[in-house]
Amino acid sequence: MECTGQNRRYAESACAFDGENPSSFRHWKTLFGCERANAHISCPIKKCHSPCFTLILLLAWCYCVTVQSHAANEGQPELNDVHFHLTNYIQEGTNIHDFLKIMGSKVGRVALFGIPLQQEWSYQNSGDFAPTYYLQTDAPLYYYSFTDAYIAMAYRSLSKEEQARFDPMITGFNPADMYAADHIRRVLQTFPGVFSGIGEFTIHKEFVSAKVAGEVASLQNPALDRILDFAETVGLVVLIHNDMDVPFAKEGSGPVYLHQMKALLRRHPNTTIIWAHTGMGRVVRPIKNHAAQLAEILADPQFSHVYFDISWDEVAKYVVSSPEATRITADLLNRYPDRFLFGTDEVAPSNQGQYLKVYYQYEPLWKLLDQKTSERVRKGNYERLFDEARRKVRAWEMAQGLGPR
C-alpha cells in the first residue's frame, strides 16, 4: 500500500494543509524520504502498513497543534506589570490615556499607583533649581495623600474595557501613623470599585527614609500591623518596599532588617504580601547568599503568603551582572515559579522603550527560565493574585453597602 491517494487526503485533512500548495508537504518529504512533494506523494517504502500511516497522522497532528498554539498566542500580551508609578516625586506624570498607548498590546495588566512622597522645593536649599527627584536636594520629603484621589479619578476616566487592564493601589499614607489604616478605609469608601491593593509603600529605603519628615517608619511599629491587619480583612494585596540591609554594609555583617521583616511576615500569615525588589536597592546590594536567604523564606510554610517582585533596573543590574548571578537567580525562580512577579518600577515613562527597559534588561534571565516559570513570573502569578484581590475587595465593599459608582 503506497502513501498516496486517499492516505494523502487523510493526512491533509488531519492537519488542514493547503492541498493546492505542494510546499505544504516539503517537511514530510524530508522526514520520510519521499521522492517528490506534489499532488501524489510517493513513499520509498512500498508497503506502508498501518504503523507508518499512524505515525504520519500523529506527527501531522502534533504539527497542527503547534501551529494552532502559536496562532492562539498571537496578539496576546507578553507581560503584566506589578510595579508601576504613574506619577513622580513632584506628583507629575503620564496621562493615563497616553500610557495605555505606551502599553500597547505588549502589556496586559498593570498595578497602578503614584508615589506617596512629595519632594519639597526649598529655595534655601536649591534656589531656582526645582528638584524632581529625592537625590537632587537635601530638602525633606513629606507624605502626599492626594495621590490616591488622583489615581482613582484617572482610572475612572477610562472605559470599562480599559479599566480591566489596571489594578489601582492605595499608597498615600504614612506607615508610622496609627491612623494610616483609617485613611485606607476612607479611600475605599470614597472610591468603591477602584482599588485592589496597597503600595508601593516604604519602611526602610536607602536615602529616602532619612529624608521623610516626621517619625521614621519601622517594621516594629504597631501602626504597620494595623495596616496589614486591615489589608487581610478586606483582601487587599500589599506591596511593600523594605531594604534587607543598610547601604554600604560591611563585608561579613548580617542583614540588619531581615529578621525584623521575617517577624512582621509571621505576624500576618493571612495577608498577601509582595516584597518589592527582593529586598535589594540601588546600593543595598544582594547580601551574601542572597538567593539562599530568599529560598529559606520560600521553603518555609510560615511564609506561604509571601511573594517577591523583581522590579527596578537597579535590581536587574545585579541579576544580569554576570552569567553566574543570572544562573543563580534563574535556578531560584525555576524552583519556586509561583512566588515571583515581574514589574518595571518605571516612573511616568514617555514611550514604550523607556517603559519596558527593565523587561529587556532581563533578557538573559528569561532565556534561562523554563516555559512554565517564565509564563508565571511574567503574567500568571499577577493574574492569580490580583484576580483574587479584586474578588475579595469588591465583596468587602458590597458588605459595607459600597456599590460601584
Side-chain angles (χ1 to χ4, degrees):
M1 176 179 176
E2 292 187 352
C3 296
T4 58
Q6 186 175 7
N7 292 342
R8 169 193 163 277
R9 287 193 293 273
Y10 287 154
E12 175 185 345
S13 176
C15 201
F17 280 146
D18 181 4
E20 299 300 320
N21 182 7
S23 66
S24 300
F25 299 97
R26 190 170 295 130
H27 173 69
W28 306 111
K29 180 192 73 171
T30 302
L31 186 62
F32 293 108
C34 296
E35 295 176 356
R36 61 185 185 278
N38 53 24
H40 296 281
I41 297 179
S42 178
C43 180
I45 303 175
K46 294 301 181 182
K47 293 186 177 182
C48 185
H49 298 295
S50 58
C52 175
F53 180 57
T54 301
L55 178 61
I56 293 174
L57 287 180
L58 178 61
L59 290 170
W61 178 84
C62 291
Y63 177 81
C64 186
V65 167
T66 301
V67 170
Q68 291 174 345
S69 176
H70 284 303
N73 287 331
E74 285 183 4
Q76 293 297 311
E78 288 186 29
L79 65 138
N80 296 318
D81 184 356
V82 77
H83 197 131
F84 174 72
H85 301 273
L86 188 66
T87 56
N88 62 16
Y89 277 90
I90 59 169
Q91 307 306 319
E92 296 178 351
T94 308
N95 180 284
I96 196 167
H97 298 275
D98 293 334
F99 180 59
L100 269 169
K101 297 175 184 176
I102 291 172
M103 290 167 62
S105 60
K106 202 172 190 71
V107 182
R109 288 167 61 179
V110 173
L112 181 72
F113 40 91
I115 286 183
L117 296 166
Q118 164 77 37
Q119 176 58 63
E120 180 182 313
W121 180 4
S122 169
Y123 193 84
Q124 296 300 318
N125 184 274
S126 61
D128 292 327
F129 173 72
T132 60
Y133 194 55
Y134 61 84
L135 293 178
Q136 296 176 339
T137 175
D138 293 329
L141 298 159
Y142 60 89
Y143 287 100
Y144 188 82
S145 294
F146 185 71
T147 186
D148 295 329
Y150 179 85
I151 293 296
M153 296 307 292
Y155 174 81
R156 284 186 168 179
S157 73
L158 302 171
S159 68
K160 290 294 184 183
E161 182 181 23
E162 292 168 337
Q163 288 178 355
R165 300 182 68 183
F166 292 102
D167 293 280
M169 309 276 277
I170 299 169
T171 189
F173 56 87
N174 179 353
D177 183 0
M178 292 291 284
Y179 281 124
D182 299 276
H183 168 84
I184 297 168
R185 179 186 290 106
R186 284 192 294 270
V187 172
L188 292 172
Q189 292 169 337
T190 306
F191 300 103
V194 173
F195 292 97
S196 301
I198 59 175
E200 177 199 22
F201 67 95
T202 296
I203 305 301
H204 295 291
K205 182 178 180 179
E206 54 191 9
F207 310 126
V208 170
S209 299
K211 292 191 64 173
V212 178
E215 183 180 356
V216 176
S218 166
L219 293 167
Q220 302 176 88
N221 192 325
L224 180 54
D225 289 301
R226 290 196 74 215
I227 292 168
L228 298 185
D229 283 340
F230 184 67
E232 174 192 341
T233 298
V234 179
L236 296 159
V237 172
V238 175
L239 177 60
I240 183 171
H241 180 127
N242 187 75
D243 294 343
M244 195 176 288
D245 205 353
V246 296
F248 310 111
K250 291 184 178 179
E251 186 71 26
S253 62
V256 172
Y257 301 121
L258 177 58
H259 296 298
Q260 289 184 19
M261 186 65 176
K262 284 184 175 181
L264 175 72
L265 298 174
R266 288 192 188 97
R267 294 199 299 272
H268 301 277
N270 299 313
T271 305
T272 300
I273 299 173
I274 303 172
W275 190 349
H277 320 308
T278 73
M280 289 193 283
R282 175 180 281 102
V283 295
V284 176
R285 296 168 294 180
I287 60 173
K288 188 175 183 180
N289 300 319
H290 185 76
Q293 293 281 5
L294 298 182
E296 184 177 314
I297 294 173
L298 293 165
D300 191 333
Q302 294 182 92
F303 301 125
S304 61
H305 60 298
V306 178
Y307 302 82
F308 296 92
D309 88 21
I310 57 170
S311 65
W312 201 8
D313 58 350
E314 296 291 346
V315 174
K317 74 182 181 185
Y318 293 119
V319 172
V320 300
S321 61
S322 69
E324 182 184 15
T326 309
R327 179 188 57 77
I328 290 172
T329 304
D331 288 346
L332 181 66
L333 270 60
N334 282 327
R335 286 171 60 194
Y336 300 98
D338 296 325
R339 306 289 289 280
F340 291 88
L341 298 91
F342 172 75
T344 62
D345 197 19
E346 283 299 324
V347 178
S350 58
N351 57 70
Q352 192 179 86
Q354 178 188 354
Y355 173 47
L356 295 180
K357 176 183 65 175
V358 179
Y359 180 65
Y360 296 120
Q361 191 175 354
Y362 272 127
E363 189 62 32
L365 176 65
W366 303 136
K367 292 178 179 178
L368 295 181
L369 299 183
D370 61 49
Q371 184 176 359
K372 177 185 73 172
T373 300
S374 178
E375 193 279 334
R376 292 182 183 179
V377 173
R378 290 182 294 107
K379 295 190 294 185
N381 294 337
Y382 178 108
E383 292 163 4
R384 176 167 51 88
L385 295 187
F386 280 91
D387 285 351
E388 182 68 3
R390 284 183 181 183
R391 184 188 66 78
K392 288 182 176 179
V393 177
R394 299 295 86 82
W396 179 88
E397 291 171 345
M398 292 298 292
Q400 309 302 308
L402 302 169
R405 298 173 188 172

